Amino acid sequence: VLYATTTNRGAEKTPVVVFPPLGSTRRTLLNLQAAFEQHHFFGICVGRPGSEGASLPGSTAAEQVAMHCEDIVAVLDHLQIPKTSVLCMCAGTTFALALAAKYPDRTTGKFLILAPWTLPVDCPKHKRILRFAAEYLPTGGVSYMVSSLFRTMINCFSKDFLAEKLQKQLSAEEKEHFEERYQNKPDGAFARDLDWSMTTDACTNETMDIMVCLSKSSDVGFDYSNLQDQDIVIWQGDRDSMAYLPASQWLE
């Protein structure tokens, strides 16, 4: 099991497990370091099975989710943390909800979900093409194809190009925050951060991540009714073209 933490753990800091999006690794925690320190959080990010050459991924979506939840509990035990809050992003959402359902005694019930991926099979408000793919196409084949295309795109374009494209999508407020963060850093620092946090040498978990994203909640071990007592906050940009707003509103 591979995991990362933010620095300077202290008794006064709230533990938060971070579930990163598709294509990112435990190194994503680097990008949250300053914010976590500012707000007195102790961040923990556990690599999903198959990520960065860690334990082999599961053979099914249910097994992948179960293994990841078990790994997180093992890390919490190792760090002697009885309960944790949760921050999840996009494809990490399903894993986070499963953790709360499978191990309710290990979470505080405090969740922040950023631009959630909502399971298309469950959500009648999702995009029709995604619902069709999840319900009627062979999940394994679709997952492998999408994973291969995703990895090809990541490898075809330089991180400098991807960084430039991302910066062009920022709102005025985001640009202000971005410039403040990188004003005293050398040119290309953002591209290097992006490259480091997305490095996936010997990574085989993206296919399984996508398979999880195309599954039913009941197939990966949770029921939405079991989560109604959780304190869940969803942040969703109304101009976000990747996380589908009607689906996020349905999840809320």
Side-chain angles (χ1 to χ4, degrees), residues 32-212:
L32 302 171
Q33 172 77 33
F36 273 44
E37 288 294 320
Q38 179 183 353
H39 297 287
H40 306 290
F41 294 136
F42 176 65
I44 308 152
C45 189
V46 180
R48 292 199 272 272
S51 177
E52 301 176 273
S55 55
L56 293 176
S59 57
T60 65
E63 193 174 299
Q64 180 77 353
V65 171
M67 289 171 61
H68 189 44
C69 292
E70 290 168 5
D71 287 347
I72 290 171
V73 171
V75 171
L76 293 177
D77 288 343
H78 174 69
L79 296 173
Q80 298 182 328
I81 295 174
K83 289 178 177 285
T84 181
S85 297
V86 171
L87 169 65
C88 57
M89 312 168 197
C90 199
T93 302
T94 301
F95 292 92
L97 298 180
L99 178 70
K102 291 174 179 289
Y103 299 94
D105 59 326
R106 301 309 298 266
T107 66
T108 63
K110 301 285 186 180
F111 274 71
L112 176 59
I113 305 178
L114 307 179
W117 173 263
T118 304
L119 299 178
V121 180
D122 293 346
C123 176
K125 300 294 185 180
H126 223 305
K127 294 179 180 178
R128 291 181 181 178
I129 188 170
L130 292 175
R131 284 180 54 78
F132 177 83
E135 289 192 60
Y136 299 110
L137 298 183
T139 305
V142 171
S143 301
Y144 179 78
M145 180 184 68
V146 174
S147 174
S148 299
L149 289 172
F150 175 81
R151 185 47 45 194
T152 299
M153 288 174 54
I154 292 296
N155 291 332
C156 282
F157 298 106
S158 70
K159 291 303 185 294
D160 290 303
F161 175 81
L162 292 174
E164 183 179 348
K165 292 288 288 184
L166 285 171
Q167 289 178 61
K168 288 181 178 179
Q169 300 296 319
L170 299 178
S171 66
E173 184 179 4
E174 289 168 338
K175 286 179 181 177
E176 183 180 348
H177 175 76
F178 178 88
E179 290 169 0
E180 180 181 348
R181 175 170 178 170
Y182 285 96
Q183 63 180 346
N184 294 322
K185 294 187 177 183
D187 292 342
F190 175 57
R192 286 192 291 275
D193 282 354
L194 185 67
D195 185 36
W196 194 75
S197 65
M198 295 185 70
T199 295
T200 52
D201 295 335
C203 178
T204 57
N205 75 319
E206 286 162 1
T207 298
M208 295 309 303
D209 272 9
I210 295 168
M211 193 177 294
V212 170

